[in-house]
Amino acid sequence: MAALLGAGFFAIALVGPASAADLPLITAMALVWQYGEKSGNESWKGLSWGMILVALQAALTVIGNATMCIAAFRIYKSSEGSSKKL
């Protein structure tokens, strides 16, 4: 379980500080991991890793969208002067 929580916090650390919305996800990942250990069915741990990847994918999507927005704004600002000449 410690490895799961460490990985979960690592994934969240990549995208910024943990918020109140992250706590239920981390708790759910830990519970699924514990269930896999206690039930003897280790395949449940794969679900925990999947949950980490989904959270990471969502964070990276937000970062990508923000980057695209900034790039579009910079293109708009840099072309303002040249469009007035037309």
Side-chain angles (χ1 to χ4, degrees):
M1 185 175 91
L4 170 70
L5 289 177
F9 286 120
F10 175 72
I12 291 168
L14 289 175
V15 296
S19 66
D22 296 326
L23 188 59
L25 177 64
I26 293 170
T27 303
M29 288 186 294
L31 289 172
V32 169
W33 189 272
Q34 284 180 347
Y35 180 77
E37 287 181 340
K38 292 185 190 291
S39 70
N41 189 351
E42 298 285 319
S43 62
W44 278 90
K45 292 181 179 181
L47 179 59
S48 294
W49 287 113
M51 294 167 83
I52 291 170
L53 292 177
V54 167
L56 184 60
Q57 178 184 6
L60 291 173
T61 298
V62 169
I63 292 168
N65 289 347
T67 304
M68 293 292 288
C69 181
I70 292 166
F73 179 74
R74 291 183 68 199
I75 291 169
Y76 165 75
K77 287 305 257 182
S78 70
S79 65
E80 265 185 323
S82 63
S83 66
K84 291 178 183 176
K85 293 178 186 175
L86 297 176

